[in-house]
Amino acid sequence: KQTGRRTLPAPPDGCILFQCIGWLCDEDNQVHALSASGPNYGRRQVELHGDYAKSLAHSAAGFLADQVREDGSFLYGMDPRFDRELDDYNMVRHAGAVWSLLCAYRLAPEEALAEKIDKSIAYLLDAVVYDAQGCAYLYEAKQDEIKLGGCALAVAALTEYMDVFQSKTHQEVCTA
């Protein structure tokens, strides 16, 4: 109703379950069979090997890097029903995404990716708070809570950054 679409007058009396076979034609006009049964039902059947896995990682990293906004936050998705951005930002997810970008940079270093990483780390560091003893924590402002799992991911991301870029830039926050 909220989207302005028609609703069903009543639920159907029953449903018919069926399986079908399918194919996917990708942007390179390559046709891939989709699995017709089991836990991979509807997924593309591919033979995973080193070069293909590396190309998948590079493609995924490019997509993730494209989601970094000017302020360093990530666009996590769109609600297709209402044509608006998802508004449930999560700093734990942010820290994990930063770590993923760093892992991608390690595989294929590019200056444009390094710039996105720096922006996303700055956004991450803006969410760090310190207690009276000087201990650092990742703070989720929207929920007014410290995210312990996010603290661990933030440390992993920041130490990965220091290793990849041979820097001690974030050593203080990691050891606080």
Side-chain angles (χ1 to χ4, degrees):
K1 286 181 181 180
Q2 291 175 344
T3 63
R5 295 185 178 128
R6 291 185 307 119
T7 60
L8 293 174
D13 293 333
C15 62
I16 299 171
L17 294 178
F18 64 94
Q19 286 185 305
C20 60
I21 59 173
W23 296 267
L24 172 91
C25 183
D26 67 17
E27 61 275 357
D28 298 324
N29 289 325
Q30 296 290 320
V31 177
H32 304 274
L34 301 180
S35 181
S37 64
N40 289 318
Y41 181 75
R43 293 185 179 152
R44 184 179 357 176
Q45 297 176 12
V46 295
E47 186 176 321
L48 197 57
H49 53 80
D51 289 340
Y52 184 61
K54 192 171 183 176
S55 74
L56 289 175
H58 185 72
S59 175
F63 178 81
L64 184 57
D66 287 344
Q67 304 312 302
V68 178
R69 298 178 178 145
E70 201 56 40
D71 69 352
S73 66
F74 289 90
L75 170 61
Y76 285 122
M78 300 291 291
D79 184 331
R81 296 176 301 155
F82 304 111
D83 195 29
R84 66 175 182 233
E85 292 179 15
L86 299 176
D87 62 356
D88 56 342
Y89 206 81
N90 181 308
M91 288 309 295
V92 177
R93 188 184 309 164
H94 181 93
V98 172
W99 191 13
S100 295
L101 286 178
L102 284 156
C103 292
Y105 184 88
R106 189 182 289 278
L107 288 174
E110 295 176 7
E111 184 59 33
L113 181 55
E115 291 173 13
K116 302 276 182 132
I117 290 169
D118 287 338
K119 282 183 183 181
S120 62
I121 285 181
Y123 190 87
L124 176 72
L125 293 174
D126 283 344
V128 172
V129 296
Y130 295 86
D131 67 11
Q133 290 77 38
C135 291
Y137 298 96
L138 188 63
Y139 177 68
E140 182 73 61
K142 187 175 179 180
Q143 296 169 332
D144 191 30
E145 62 184 22
I146 290 173
K147 297 292 196 173
L148 294 179
C151 292
L153 277 172
V155 168
L158 294 172
T159 55
E160 183 79 12
Y161 180 92
M162 291 187 292
D163 186 50
V164 167
F165 292 102
Q166 295 300 294
S167 162
K168 294 186 180 200
T169 308
H170 307 296
Q171 187 172 8
E172 186 177 316
V173 73
C174 288
T175 57

